[in-house]
Amino acid sequence: MEPDGSLKGVAKTALGVAMVRARESLRDDRLFNDPYAQRFLDAAPGAFPEEPTSAEDLAAIGPLASLGAVFAFHGVLRTRFFDDYLLTATAAGCAQVVLLAAGLDTRSLRLPWPGGVSVFELDLPELFAFKEAVLAACDAVPTCERGIVPVDLRESWTGELVAAGFDPTAPTAWLAEGLLLYLTADEAARLLTAVGELSAPGSRLAFEHGDIAGSAFLAQTRGMPTMDQYTSLWKGGLGEDAPGWLSRHGWQPQPHDLAELAASYGRPVPGPSSGGFLTAVRTGR
């Protein structure tokens, strides 16, 4: 099957993340290297007609340029942070990794996994139709045991994961990167409850926590007609209660501040940026 570049809605945001990862991979001081990110973009020409192509275009979009800088900064930092999280978790004994809403993530292809690790990627069928066609054209070879599970995470999905070879009795490293923002609080709670039911003690979980920018800046963004296709998808997830929710449901959470991580990576923080990440260890069923 040939990719047709017709990803829509939440699936299209995966292309935006691929753009961020492709640009970061070109830097001499890159925090990671994703050799497949540009291939996804090449397979979807014209996906971002609103993308500025000149200095004049960039000046004309005004606040959107600031939003783009914040989005790119977060995309880079979270990619590196979650890379490190997953490699640490697998080195500590989590032989299974589950990428919830994997999008155009290529960690199963680009990270140096320990021997015996299985990575399960879950996302919408139309996303995988595009992704697998691109990877096949690249002759991409996984660095782990890789399984894809086409599902809608807002519906029932745990049976499909187990059928794909997932073992609920084995410690697992779960990643919900760029996902909870697009779910309501109830949807996020249902998803993470299902994760908990499949998580043996010692399993780990990670996702973003907090808004990527201050409330005034986000309110301004939501008022821009050109951003409606993106901001209309934002639902907020668990919100500020995320650490408390995890604690009440058998997890021991740990926050990670974005500014502190940026300093450790040697990257300046764009003015409007905020938020951070949560990791957690499963303490009980």
Side-chain angles (χ1 to χ4, degrees):
M1 173 181 177
E2 291 296 323
D4 63 6
S6 60
L7 295 179
K8 301 290 193 302
V10 173
K12 183 181 175 181
T13 67
L15 279 171
V17 177
M19 182 184 298
V20 169
R21 290 176 175 164
R23 290 176 176 173
E24 176 67 15
S25 298
L26 294 174
R27 292 178 59 137
D28 291 336
D29 64 344
R30 56 184 174 267
L31 297 182
F32 56 84
N33 182 39
D34 186 344
Y36 303 98
Q38 186 61 49
R39 300 294 290 269
F40 293 128
L41 298 176
D42 293 343
F48 298 101
E50 67 273 21
E51 181 75 5
T53 58
S54 68
E56 291 76 13
D57 291 343
L58 190 63
I61 62 175
L64 282 179
S66 297
L67 178 65
V70 169
F71 177 81
F73 171 76
H74 277 255
V76 168
L77 264 289
R78 81 181 193 191
T79 297
R80 172 58 186 270
F81 177 76
F82 290 144
D83 281 359
D84 292 345
Y85 152 75
L86 289 172
L87 291 177
T88 298
T90 52
C94 290
Q96 296 182 134
V97 171
V98 179
L99 306 178
L100 299 166
L104 300 178
D105 184 305
T106 60
R107 291 184 172 97
S108 63
L109 303 159
R110 63 177 181 81
L111 289 187
W113 299 103
V117 168
S118 297
V119 176
F120 298 91
E121 301 181 20
L122 281 62
D123 214 312
L124 297 166
E126 58 266 32
L127 190 290
F128 280 123
F130 173 84
K131 181 177 185 178
E132 296 311 295
V134 174
L135 293 180
C138 299
D139 295 323
V141 178
T143 54
C144 60
E145 290 294 323
R146 177 177 181 252
I148 63 170
V149 186
V151 290
D152 187 333
L153 292 168
R154 294 166 299 185
E155 301 173 358
S156 175
W157 55 271
T158 57
E160 286 87 344
L161 177 59
V162 172
F166 176 84
D167 180 3
T169 68
T172 301
W174 300 85
L175 175 58
E177 180 178 13
L179 169 60
L180 299 189
L181 171 68
Y182 299 104
L183 303 179
T184 66
D186 287 344
E187 288 171 339
R190 284 197 299 272
L191 176 75
L192 295 181
T193 296
V195 167
E197 291 171 349
L198 293 176
S199 295
S203 294
R204 304 188 184 199
L205 170 65
F207 54 86
E208 296 100 321
H209 178 54
D211 291 330
I212 68 171
S215 56
F217 183 77
L218 290 179
Q220 182 184 25
T221 301
R222 287 188 170 94
M224 299 175 185
T226 55
M227 289 302 296
D228 284 349
Q229 62 177 313
Y230 304 110
T231 59
S232 63
L233 300 171
W234 298 349
K235 308 300 181 186
L238 292 177
E240 292 303 312
D241 185 46
W245 190 97
L246 291 172
S247 295
R248 295 191 299 273
H249 290 83
W251 298 90
Q252 182 178 345
Q254 179 181 355
H256 303 267
D257 181 72
L258 188 78
E260 293 177 5
L261 286 170
S264 72
Y265 296 146
R267 291 294 172 90
V269 180
S273 291
S274 63
F277 309 98
L278 281 177
T279 59
V281 176
R282 187 69 169 165
T283 55
R285 290 283 188 180

